[in-house]
Each structure stands twice: as C-alpha cells, then as structure tokens.
Amino acid sequence: MALIITDECINCDVCEPECPNEAITPGEEIYEIDPAKCTECVGHYDEPQCQLVCPVDCIPQDDDNMETQEELEAKYERLTGKKIA
C-alpha cells in the first residue's frame, strides 16, 4: 500500500529527498505522496525511508491505497525497469 502524509506535517523538508521514487512533493499546505509512485521503498530499502526520518511521525499507511507486497514489487519494476532480485 502507499503511504500518506497527514496534516500533522510540519513541512520540515526531510522526507522529500529520501524518497527514491520521487513520490513526495510539496503540496499547497503540506507535502504529498503520489500513490502511483510510492512503493514503500520496496526494491530500494527494507523499510520506508520517509517514515524513518519524519520527526513527527505523520506518514502512516494509506488505507485508501492498499497494495500487497507483490503489487509493490510490480510497481517498483514498472517505475524503474529493474527486476527485484
């Protein structure tokens, strides 16, 4: 499933550069995650990097964009053109 940034976001700018898929961008009021690009770092890292660096823990899983591990892996492969080893 994709992740989402909640309105507790303080716009500290630490999550955006951590996203290997460039799924995080500044929104009108807070940062936003594009669910079409978010793989929860599957294929890149063992856990979502944005969640690790967020100082206010405002990046939970997005219940409206539930995906299985296999779907996240397929999304990674579509976005990068690489197969997961």
Side-chain angles (χ1 to χ4, degrees):
M1 70 195 74
L3 302 173
I4 190 168
I5 297 176
T6 66
D7 58 5
E8 285 88 26
C9 175
I10 58 172
N11 290 310
C12 66
D13 303 321
V14 299
C15 62
E16 182 183 20
E18 295 300 320
C19 182
N21 296 324
E22 299 180 350
I24 301 174
T25 56
E28 286 188 32
E29 295 184 25
I30 60 173
Y31 278 85
E32 298 175 349
I33 297 177
D34 180 348
K37 292 182 177 181
C38 179
T39 62
E40 294 185 36
C41 290
V42 166
H44 297 283
Y45 302 104
D46 292 333
E47 55 189 314
Q49 299 300 290
C50 60
Q51 288 180 326
L52 289 177
V53 300
C54 180
V56 293
D57 296 323
C58 70
I59 310 176
Q61 293 184 329
D62 182 357
D63 292 336
D64 291 334
N65 288 293
M66 303 291 279
E67 295 171 288
T68 65
Q69 181 72 21
E70 292 78 20
E71 289 171 319
L72 292 171
E73 290 173 1
K75 187 190 300 186
Y76 165 84
E77 291 174 359
R78 275 194 317 276
L79 290 170
T80 66
K82 299 175 186 176
K83 293 280 186 190
I84 293 181

